[in-house]
Amino acid sequence: MKNIQIILNAVLSKNIVEYILIDSDFRVVSSSTGVDQYLDVMPVKGDETVEHLPEFVGSEDEIKKIFSDASLSFALDSVYKNDYYVNVSVEYFDEKIALILLHNITDITLSQQKLLQYSNESILINSTLKNILDRQNALLFVTSHDEITYTNEQFMKYFGVKRVRDIKRKNVEIFKYFDESLESYDALFEKVNSKEEYITINNDTFILQATEIESTHKLFTLSKVTKLSKKMQLDTHTGAFKKSYFNDHLEKAIKSNVTAAIAVLDLDNFKLINDVYGHQTGDSVLQEVVSLIQENVRDDDVFARWGGEEFLLLLKHTNIENALKKVENLRRLLDEHQFKEINHLTSSFGVALLNPSDDLHSVLQRADKALYEAKAGGKNRVVFKSLK
Amino acid sequence: MIRKKILLLGDFSVGKTSLVRRYVDSAFDDKYLTTIGVKISKKLCNIAGVECELLIWDVEGSTPSKKISLGYYKGASGAIFVSDVGRRETMDSLGEQREIFLNENPGSKYVTAYNKADKLSEMAIENIVLEDDTFLTSAKDDSNVEELFTRLMEKMLA
C-alpha cells in the first residue's frame, strides 16, 4: 500500500518519478509509460534488468536481499541517463516484487553543476596562479605587523622550510641578512623601498626589492643573481676574483669579527717566465695557477688577483694553525705541479690573522710584510706575521 | 557474457571523462565540463579470448570540500585512479582515494593514469619514474589509453 502511494504521489507531483517492477530473478515485470525517456529502449516483461539499468551490475546480491527484508533499500544518486539526471532507488514491494524508482532531478542537478563548474574553475585558476608565483623569484608577503602571511615555493625551497609557520620557527629573518642592526620587516622596507639592493644570504647574492601592497602588506622579492654577480666580479684575465670583491669580503669579515686569515701570494721569478717564454705563456701560467688554487680552496674562501702575479686569499672561519697548514699545502701544490709549458714554478706566501683592531689596510700591510720576508728569506716559503 | 564494473576516480579536472570518451568513442574535446554524479558507459572487449562487457563509471571528481559518495564504489571489480601530471596535488591525493576504494572493495584491482602527458616535454617525461601498472596517458593524443584499460581488464580477469 505504501509503495502504491509512492507511485501515486509521484504521478500527481508533476510526473517526476517513473518506476519499474522487477522479480527476484532480476527480470522486468512492468514499468511506467514514461520510463523509456531514461533508457535506450522501452523495457518489456521478461527483460534482464541490468540490460536497461547497468548501474546495478556488481550490486545484484545486495538488491536481491531487499526481496526478503522490507527494511532494506538500495540507492544511487545523480546517475546520468539519456540527458537526464536521476536518483535511482530500489525498495521492497512484496516478497516477489521489488520497486525501482527513477526520480528525475535534472533541473536541480544542472543548477548544482553550474555552481560546481564555477567553483572548480576558481580552484583551477587559484592553482594556476600559485604555480606561476612558485616559479617566480623568492617572494615574501608580510603584514604591517611584521607577520609573514605568504611565501612562494622558491623561497621555502631556498630556506629549507615546508610551511610558512616554519619560517618563524627556524628564525629566518631576511632583514638581519641585509643589516644586522635592523629589527623588523618595516625597517627593511624603509631601507629598500623603491630601490634595488644587493643582499648576501649564505654564499648567494640576491637583488632585494620591496613593494607596498595596499597599506596592509609588503611584498619582498629576492632575485638570485649569484652567478651573474660572481661573473661580474671575476678578473677576466685569470678567472680569479677582482681585488674589489676581495676587499668587500675582507671588510665584512673584519666587521663581523669572524676568525679569518689572509694570505698574499707572489709567484717567484715570474718576470723571468715572461722574458724567456713570452707574455702569452706567462698568461697561461697565471690561469693554471688560478685553476689549481680554486680547486683546492673552499667555496667560502675568496681567492682574488691583486695585480700582476700577486694574488690574495681570504680564509674564513679558521684559526692561524689551520690557515698556515692550508697555505703551506697550496705552496707545496704549486711547487710539485708540472706546468704545461714551463714545467716548474714556486711561490711565496705572506700570512696574517684578522684582528678586531684591524682595518682593510692594516691587515693587508701585515700580510704584505710577511710576503716580503718570505721573498727575502729565499722564496718558495710561507711566512706568518703576527700583530706584534 | 561477463560484465565488470570499473570506476574512474581522481580529483576534478584530471581528465577522467576525456579518458572514457577517448576509449569508448575514440573522441576528444578540449573543453572542460565538470562531471556531476556518475555517467556510465559500456564497452565490449575481448581480453585473451574472453568476451566482456565493461561498465565504466565516470565518477564526479573529488574536490577539497566534496568527497565521492561511497554508494558509487559498491560492487566495483576495478578502478582507474587518474591524476593530472601537471598538478602535483592531484597525484598526492591518489593514495587516500585508493585506500577508500580498497576498503569498500577488498581484493579489487586497479591501475593508475598520470594523465595530460601531452603537456610535458620529452625530457620531463623521461625523468618520470613509473611504478607498476602506472601509465603516462593523454586522452588528447590518444597515448596509452587503450593500454591503461586493457591492463586493468587483464588484472581483473587473471
Side-chain angles (χ1 to χ4, degrees), chain A residues 287-296 333-334 337 339:
Chain A
Q287 285 158 7
E288 215 171 333
V289 167
V290 169
S291 295
L292 266 177
I293 303 277
Q294 281 173 336
E295 283 164 19
N296 287 280
L333 182 80
L334 291 173
H337 181 71
F339 284 85

Side-chain angles (χ1 to χ4, degrees), chain A residues 48 50-51 54-55 57-59 62 74 76-80 85 109 112-113 116-117 120-121 123-124 127 131, chain B residues 3-5 12-13 32-40 42 55 57 60 63-64 71-72 74-75 86-87 89:
Chain A
E48 225 184 317
V50 290
E51 287 291 343
E55 52 269 43
V57 168
S59 299
E62 193 182 343
F74 177 87
L76 279 173
D77 291 337
S78 310
V79 183
Y80 184 78
Y85 286 94
T109 307
Q112 285 171 348
Q113 188 187 32
L116 192 61
Q117 175 97 14
N120 287 355
E121 282 174 355
I123 295 172
L124 283 175
S127 165
N131 282 338
Chain B
R3 286 192 176 98
K4 295 281 183 189
K5 167 182 175 178
F12 72 94
S13 189
Y32 170 55
L33 183 67
T34 303
T35 301
I36 192 160
V38 62
K39 185 182 175 188
I40 301 162
K42 294 179 190 176
L55 299 157
W57 286 46
E60 174 181 330
T63 69
Y72 295 150
K74 286 176 186 171
R87 281 162 62 208
E89 70 275 13

Side-chain angles (χ1 to χ4, degrees), chain B residues 7-137:
Chain B
L7 304 175
L8 269 90
L9 299 169
D11 285 353
F12 72 94
S13 189
V14 293
K16 297 183 291 296
T17 304
S18 293
L19 283 172
V20 176
R21 195 138 184 248
R22 170 60 70 189
Y23 182 60
V24 176
D25 303 325
S26 302
F28 177 79
D29 187 348
D30 233 341
K31 208 170 139 191
Y32 170 55
L33 183 67
T34 303
T35 301
I36 192 160
V38 62
K39 185 182 175 188
I40 301 162
S41 305
K42 294 179 190 176
K43 171 102 174 174
L44 287 173
C45 350
N46 187 314
I47 303 291
V50 180
E51 284 285 328
C52 184
E53 185 178 50
L54 200 57
L55 299 157
I56 306 164
W57 286 46
D58 176 18
V59 178
E60 174 181 330
S62 299
T63 69
S65 57
K66 194 177 180 194
K67 298 296 168 199
I68 302 308
S69 161
L70 288 180
Y72 295 150
Y73 287 68
K74 286 176 186 171
S77 303
I80 296 175
F81 292 95
V82 187
S83 65
D84 176 344
V85 77
R87 281 162 62 208
R88 170 138 288 280
E89 70 275 13
T90 67
M91 297 161 93
D92 294 342
S93 70
L94 291 186
E96 187 191 349
Q97 297 183 45
R98 257 184 225 125
E99 202 176 309
I100 297 168
F101 172 75
L102 290 173
N103 205 30
E104 287 297 314
N105 300 286
S108 284
K109 308 297 179 192
Y110 67 85
V111 291
T112 304
Y114 292 162
N115 197 31
K116 304 192 185 181
D118 52 276
K119 283 186 188 172
L120 296 181
S121 65
E122 272 182 36
M123 193 189 283
I125 288 174
E126 278 171 19
N127 286 334
I128 292 177
V129 180
L130 294 175
E131 290 169 11
D132 285 350
D133 300 323
T134 301
F135 296 79
L136 262 179
T137 57

